[in-house]
Amino acid sequence: EAQVTQNPRYLITVTGKKLTVTCSQNMNHEYMSWYRQDPGLGLRQIYYSMNVEVTDKGDVPEGYKVSRKEKRNFPLILESPSPNQTSLYFCASSASPGGRTEAFFGQGTRLTVV
Amino acid sequence: SQQGEEDPQALSIQEGENATMNCSYKTSINNLQWYRQNSGRGLVHLILIRSNEREKHSGRLRVTLDTSKKSSSLLITASRAADTASYFCATDHQAAGNKLTFGGGTRVLVKP
């Protein structure tokens, strides 16, 4: 079954404690991205990756890092989380960049930073 | 910045009725997609329509695109309780590079 898997689904952490949200896809997609979803603001892109070792900033990259060492994995790293990063996070992958093909989304990670 | 803006923000209908929601955008697009999101869960792709297409159908879904008005509509016919969800349009803009830009969504409640 084609899927994007994110872990963990829920996470409560304290300010400043580094964390990583993992994302893995089994569709051999080259393009992957991270979004955050906040009430009233819709989904905003954090980072995206066109292929292995190729990453670039989206609309709201501050406070986040990503890496793409393997095609299937695209972890999101918060080196020093702050309360304004409390949000619902989604990883997505697609065969082509932009909107040329459908995007597959993970189930989301609800992060609370206290 | 949000390019797609959905209208209405929320919609409540009875089961069996049709639901229509609209998406407007500001700059020229290559493609437009519609997604569904059940409460707090991941988005699920519904339909992709390209800039040179005017209408597409998928089951009970009908999407139209009017590039002259920079708008799209999603029609759900004969709605069911299971259609209760938020619906998002996502645009792929010619000048925006390699990303989808999502609107704020329309929350649809289908009452049994």
Side-chain angles (χ1 to χ4, degrees):
Chain A
E1 180 190 354
Q3 60 184 9
V4 177
T5 303
Q6 288 179 234
N7 280 295
R9 290 289 312 280
Y10 302 92
L11 180 59
I12 301 174
T13 190
V14 296
T15 299
K17 185 176 181 181
K18 181 179 178 179
L19 66 91
T20 298
V21 184
T22 63
C23 174
S24 180
Q25 50 95 2
N26 63 358
M27 294 165 280
N28 202 37
H29 286 164
E30 292 188 346
Y31 187 82
M32 298 184 74
S33 56
W34 276 101
Y35 295 87
R36 60 178 289 173
Q37 185 177 28
D38 303 287
L41 296 176
L43 277 86
R44 294 178 292 166
Q45 191 183 55
I46 303 170
Y47 268 94
Y48 65 92
S49 170
M50 298 284 282
N51 211 328
V52 175
E53 303 292 1
V54 181
T55 62
D56 208 346
K57 296 176 181 179
D59 295 320
V60 288
E62 294 77 20
Y64 305 94
K65 284 177 58 177
V66 292
S67 69
R68 188 92 182 274
K69 294 184 170 56
E70 305 165 282
K71 199 171 190 178
R72 63 184 293 124
N73 296 323
F74 189 44
L76 178 69
I77 303 154
L78 285 72
E79 298 248 335
S80 183
S82 62
N84 65 11
Q85 292 178 297
T86 292
S87 187
L88 180 57
Y89 291 87
F90 290 102
C91 178
S93 74
S94 57
S96 299
R100 298 177 216 173
T101 56
E102 69 176 285
F104 291 80
F105 282 79
Q107 286 300 298
T109 296
R110 188 170 293 280
L111 172 65
T112 302
V113 183
V114 297
Chain B
S1 65
Q2 285 178 233
Q3 281 275 7
E5 295 291 338
E6 285 92 342
D7 172 60
Q9 290 189 332
L11 182 59
S12 180
I13 56 174
Q14 292 295 137
E15 204 165 26
E17 293 180 340
N18 295 342
T20 300
M21 60 210 84
N22 304 295
C23 170
S24 59
Y25 55 90
K26 297 174 184 171
T27 58
S28 296
I29 61 168
N30 297 313
N31 307 283
L32 185 145
Q33 301 184 34
W34 284 91
Y35 287 82
R36 184 186 74 231
Q37 183 183 33
N38 292 92
S39 181
R41 303 185 67 84
L43 281 74
V44 175
H45 181 262
L46 297 175
I47 289 184
L48 182 155
I49 187 166
R50 305 199 187 280
S51 60
N52 61 353
E53 297 175 314
R54 291 297 166 257
E55 188 170 313
K56 285 191 87 168
H57 295 255
S58 176
R60 293 183 295 111
L61 306 179
R62 173 178 167 247
V63 168
T64 61
L65 178 64
D66 186 335
T67 53
S68 67
K69 295 181 179 178
K70 292 186 171 60
S71 68
S72 173
S73 67
L74 170 66
L75 168 67
I76 305 172
T77 60
S79 63
R80 305 167 182 170
D83 294 327
T84 294
S86 291
Y87 293 82
F88 294 87
C89 69
T91 47
D92 170 16
H93 293 268
Q94 293 173 2
N98 300 307
K99 68 175 183 179
L100 276 176
T101 304
F102 286 83
T106 293
R107 295 188 310 279
V108 175
L109 172 64
V110 181
K111 294 178 281 188

